[in-house]
Amino acid sequence: VENEARFLERMIDSNVAGLIVEGVKSALPNPNIKYYKALTANKVPIVFVNNYYPDFPCTCVLMEDEKWTYDITNLLIAAGHKKIAGYFKFDDLQGHWRYAGYIRALMDAGLEVDENCIGWYDSSNTAHTPQKMDMLEEDLVSSIDECTALVCYNDFVAKRLIGKLDKKGRKVPDDISIVGFDNSVDAKINGNDLTSVNHPKEKVGIEAAK
């Protein structure tokens, strides 16, 4: 949030012609809305990608996060999994949307939603407090012994959890299946690629620039 404020202050002073923005901590109230309002008051067009701030009317290019997480969770359900864990990011809207898709798939299939099998992390954990991130993931791994599958917010955390599960003696995919989102990292499982929702990054950028 502090970096965003510094960037926006610089944009206000630079006579920028337009902005493409990916919001930070978009699921939380944002103290920098005043800068965005100042830019729009100066007729500067702003387009958001992947998320937006609910209290700032804007044009945005979004992916169907809820739909695709619903579909990839159903992929696990169709494979026979009944106890499916989840790991999501709570301070970005994408995390809420992906969680919603995961929950809806479980409910539509008549499966239990077990809060003990759902982990949450935030942006600060990945960037500034890696030790806390390790603790959150180790706690999750310890609480999902009965789960046979895991839906991850993205491939980055999926790859991390694969490593922690391996240290605990649970092999992927023999003991537990894992799916990710974004198709963004080289997470090999016994020589096979991680099953992941593909994020059309280039297409999103093209549409935002248009």
Side-chain angles (χ1 to χ4, degrees):
V1 171
E2 294 89 345
N3 286 337
E4 180 187 43
R6 285 192 288 270
F7 172 80
L8 292 172
E9 286 175 345
R10 200 162 73 243
M11 292 303 99
I12 290 171
D13 295 334
S14 71
N15 295 318
V16 65
L19 283 178
I20 296 174
V21 179
E22 181 167 14
V24 296
K25 301 194 174 190
S26 54
L28 303 177
N30 188 291
N32 296 324
I33 296 299
K34 59 185 178 182
Y35 297 115
Y36 288 106
K37 289 182 176 179
L39 285 160
T40 54
N42 290 331
K43 309 296 185 187
V44 176
I46 300 172
V47 176
F48 276 73
V49 295
N50 295 330
N51 59 30
Y52 56 86
Y53 297 129
D55 52 350
F56 178 68
C58 62
T59 298
C60 48
V61 180
L62 304 174
M63 187 173 173
E64 293 180 295
D65 291 90
E66 181 176 347
K67 176 192 181 302
W68 288 112
T69 314
Y70 178 86
D71 287 349
I72 204 167
T73 304
N74 274 326
L75 193 68
L76 294 170
I77 294 169
H81 296 284
K82 298 187 182 305
K83 190 79 171 177
I84 303 172
Y87 189 44
F88 303 97
K89 195 175 185 183
F90 75 78
D91 61 344
D92 274 328
L93 283 178
Q94 298 106 299
H96 290 218
W97 293 329
R98 293 176 189 183
Y99 170 74
Y102 157 80
I103 290 293
R104 187 162 61 88
L106 295 182
M107 293 175 66
D108 285 355
L111 299 179
E112 178 188 12
V113 177
D114 186 349
E115 288 291 331
N116 295 317
C117 298
I118 300 172
W120 294 93
Y121 73 100
D122 65 37
S123 306
S124 299
N125 298 148
T126 55
H128 308 301
T129 56
Q131 289 179 324
K132 185 177 179 182
M133 186 83 169
D134 282 331
M135 290 175 60
L136 289 169
E137 291 170 350
E138 286 166 6
D139 285 346
L140 178 65
V141 166
S142 296
S143 67
I144 62 173
D145 284 340
E146 295 182 3
C147 296
T148 61
L150 171 61
V151 177
C152 292
Y153 170 76
N154 61 21
D155 295 351
F156 171 75
V157 294
K159 188 174 183 179
R160 289 176 58 91
L161 287 170
I162 289 168
K164 287 182 170 60
L165 285 161
D166 185 66
K167 287 180 181 177
K168 203 173 185 298
R170 299 195 73 190
K171 301 297 182 183
V172 179
D174 297 336
D175 302 316
I176 183 168
S177 296
I178 291 185
V179 295
F181 210 105
D182 294 343
N183 195 20
S184 59
V185 299
D186 181 22
K188 294 287 184 180
I189 305 168
N190 295 337
N192 297 312
D193 291 330
L194 174 71
T195 299
S196 176
V197 175
N198 190 50
H199 192 299
K201 294 172 276 291
E202 184 174 358
K203 185 177 180 182
V204 168
I206 290 170
E207 292 303 316
K210 283 182 181 178

